[in-house]
Amino acid sequence: MNYSVQFGSLWPSIRVSLLSEQKYGALVNNFSDADRVSRELKLLNAVDFVYESQKAAQHVHGDSPVERVRGEETAPQETHREQLSVEQTQVPSSLSASISPNIKCYTFSKGDISRFPPARPDALGTLGYYLLDAASLLPVLALNVQPGDLILDLCAAPGGKTLALLQTGCCRHLAANDISASRSNRLRRVLCSYVPKDISADVRITSWDGRKWGELEGDTYNRVLVDVPCTTDRHSVMEEDNNIFSRMRLKERQMLPMLQMQLLLAGLLAARPGGEVVYSTCSLSQLQNEYVVERAVEVAETEYNISVHVEDLSYFRRLFQDTFSFFADCRLGELVLPHLTANFGPMYFCRLRREQ
Ligand code: SAM
């Protein structure tokens, strides 16, 4: 009832998509034989949506082809996006500077509902790709990680986004935290299956209450990801087990926006001045998305004298419109809507810059 009011005529389509099988993306593990893995994924007719979108945008600007940070040049690929609309020319030309680099994620194109087979281990036991909702990479791409960054992933388990952050090859140090000890163990197992020991040595896994982070390590990080607990809408319409909408969890559900706001505020306090924070949820709810961002900005300013700038990410909508279905009317941040032809999301993400 709530979402039919929020989304009006879009709601029936979103609802039926939430009730249908979701699509996945295959995040290539750069710590395995990434070229071989990419070739195998291409043979399935999947495309690296990150590469294709950047290539299409740079083609429009007449810039040189996309370069990965470590300098390897991905082989030119055929793209069905040679004809681009005038609107797409508004994508910033220096994309390599505005999107976390080196992330490769294969998806099947719009309307193609093929599935990826499970990843196989290589001779050393490392898995070649990680299956996840491809929309959940957008918050990581929006974080715009730069070489040598100190990064905090405040609510990290089970670890899909932590793994994506490590794929950038840019993390000088990554603090991955999750209040749940059992979920933190899942994160450890994910890293164990995908990341060599010398790299995971730079990852510090903790199980603290993220709301306290501002007091523990204030003004420290260049980049902070705040991927908060939420109503997990897609999961909630399909699974009875431990459902956040059950009567038993009413109080917890009512308190979610407050918890989310406190976590985002802690993320802002943990960022150093000039640092970037990305807030994300997998909920469609305005109350858990824009309203939380607005309230956290207000509290940061009034109670901590920290000014925060909410950044414009509308170029993400143009850049990735061939892969995802975006909501056009977010006041702050961007929202991927589930759609039968591109059944990813929901995923809300918003980037904030701590000014001082
Ligand atoms: N970022 C993860 C990923 O990509 O795999 C998913 C995170 S999930 C949406 C939200 C997480 O927040 C849960 O694992 C939950 O245990 C954790 N969480 C809940 N309350 C927290 C708190 N106060 N501090 C830190 N983590 C918390």
Side-chain angles (χ1 to χ4, degrees), residues 168-186:
T168 64
C170 287
C171 314
R172 175 150 55 104
H173 175 74
L174 174 61
N177 177 69
D178 198 286
I179 196 167
S180 155
S182 60
R183 286 174 68 91
S184 300
N185 281 334
R186 271 177 72 189

Side-chain angles (χ1 to χ4, degrees), residues 18-226:
L18 282 175
L19 292 166
S20 306
E21 195 173 331
Q22 81 177 107
K23 277 181 88 165
Y24 284 90
L27 170 69
V28 174
N29 185 11
N30 292 330
F31 305 111
S32 69
D33 184 350
D35 287 340
R36 180 184 58 77
V37 172
S38 295
R39 276 198 304 279
E40 287 175 5
L41 292 168
K42 274 180 216 159
L43 285 175
L44 299 174
N45 261 343
V47 291
D48 175 359
F49 82 87
V50 184
Y51 176 80
E52 288 295 330
S53 311
Q54 285 186 286
K55 194 178 92 171
Q58 299 201 347
H59 173 77
V60 163
H61 287 276
D63 292 352
S64 54
V66 182
E67 278 185 29
R68 310 278 189 187
V69 146
R70 286 193 200 114
E72 90 263 31
E73 186 93 27
T74 307
Q77 302 168 12
E78 282 299 313
T79 173
H80 58 286
R81 262 170 261 145
E82 296 297 291
Q83 270 112 48
L84 293 159
S85 65
V86 174
E87 197 194 16
Q88 280 173 291
T89 60
Q90 291 157 16
V91 174
S93 61
S94 56
L95 281 169
S96 47
S98 57
I99 283 194
S100 298
N102 285 334
I103 292 175
K104 308 178 191 78
C105 183
Y106 282 77
T107 53
F108 294 106
S109 49
K110 268 193 179 167
D112 182 343
I113 56 164
S114 310
R115 296 186 206 163
F116 291 102
R120 281 179 291 120
D122 63 16
L124 298 172
T126 308
L127 293 171
Y129 56 84
Y130 182 86
L131 292 178
L132 78 183
D133 182 331
S136 66
L137 280 183
L138 298 177
V140 177
L141 292 169
L143 200 57
N144 184 19
V145 174
Q146 299 294 308
D149 273 349
L150 291 179
I151 302 173
L152 169 62
D153 187 355
L154 196 59
C155 305
K161 296 185 189 68
T162 313
L163 185 62
L165 285 165
L166 289 170
Q167 300 305 318
T168 64
C170 287
C171 314
R172 175 150 55 104
H173 175 74
L174 174 61
N177 177 69
D178 198 286
I179 196 167
S180 155
S182 60
R183 286 174 68 91
S184 300
N185 281 334
R186 271 177 72 189
L187 167 68
R188 272 189 197 92
R189 286 197 294 276
V190 167
L191 296 190
C192 214
S193 311
Y194 285 86
V195 182
K197 283 215 162 50
D198 57 325
I199 303 285
S200 55
D202 291 333
V203 184
R204 177 176 49 136
I205 300 177
T206 51
S207 297
W208 298 337
D209 184 341
R211 288 173 290 187
K212 306 256 163 65
W213 214 281
E215 298 149 44
L216 297 169
E217 276 183 329
D219 306 345
T220 303
Y221 292 92
N222 307 97
R223 299 287 184 270
V224 183
L225 181 61
V226 186

